[in-house]
Every structure is written in C-alpha cells, then in structure tokens.
Amino acid sequence: MRKSRALASAGAAVAVLGLAAPLAAADGGRNPSPSNIVALPGVIARGGQLTITADGCPNGGHATSNAFPRTNLTPVHGGRDTARGTATVHYDARAGSYDITVHCSGRSLTRPAAFTVLGGVRGGLGGSSTEGATPTDMAIGGGLVAAAVAAGGVFWMRRRAEKQL
C-alpha cells in the first residue's frame, strides 16, 4: 500500500511539472522581451560614448533617450539573447540623470535614471564668470600690497638702525 501511494505521488508530480514546463517556455521562446538594461559608464561627460547592453534581444533592436540619438543594438554572439550598442551623448545635453528605453522583439522596456550626464565648466576663464576684478578683489589686493610695503619699511628701518650701532 505504501509503494502505491509513493508511486501515485511521484506520478502526479511528474504530470504537473510536465505540463507546466512547456507553458513556461512557450512565451519566452517565441516572444522574448528586453530586460536588464545596463549603461556604461554610469556617469559620462557631454559628447562621450555610452555602451548600452540589454538582455532578451536575440535579434537586436534599438535604444532611445533624450541625451543621445536613436542607437541600434546588435546581437552579441555567444551572449544568451544579449544585444549591445554604442551611443554618443549630445554635446548640448543638460546635466542630470537620463532614462534609456530599449525596443526589441516588438516590446519595450525603460530603465529610469540609467546614466548621468555631468555639467561642463567654462574653460579658459579660470572659473570666473565676470570680466575684470570686482571691488572686493581690489580691496583684498590693495590690502596685501599695503601690508607688504609696511613690512618692507619696518625691515629696512631695523637694518638701518643696526648699522649705526
């Protein structure tokens, strides 16, 4: 009696697994969908190149974002349904985080805040944004010059006094 119960339980388990496996593979085999979107580097300067990788794209696809033009993703050989592409960030992209949307196999997936564009600096100006010296700069510079003249005068007077002794 015990053997027949064990055999019946094993048969039921095999039947359930046997029916569930084809159903689970049916959607994944015919209609893969994009997943696991990765953008490297995660922080990039304007005009830099960004590598985008997405799983679930066996036939390739494309990626879009507000920071770069539409970029084609090509299948990676030996990379289990993975596609990859390289995008160039616009030179006029604003600093901040950007989303990436991947479209492949008739489906799409968006990864929010996938990468960050750094803000630029004003090169050649030494970081200043005004022309010429401000009144504060003039006051500080004038004070330093006056202190140097006074210290030089004191030093010269002390040297002169030592020679007369």
Side-chain angles (χ1 to χ4, degrees), residues 8-75:
S9 296
V14 168
V16 169
L17 290 175
L19 292 175
L23 292 176
D27 186 52
R30 284 183 280 156
N31 295 322
S33 61
S35 64
N36 194 29
I37 300 170
V38 178
L40 292 175
V43 178
I44 190 166
R46 298 173 186 157
Q49 289 193 333
L50 187 70
T51 301
I52 303 161
T53 306
D55 294 337
C57 296
N59 300 320
H62 66 273
T64 58
S65 176
N66 291 335
F68 56 80
R70 177 179 161 158
T71 301
N72 290 327
L73 303 176
T74 56

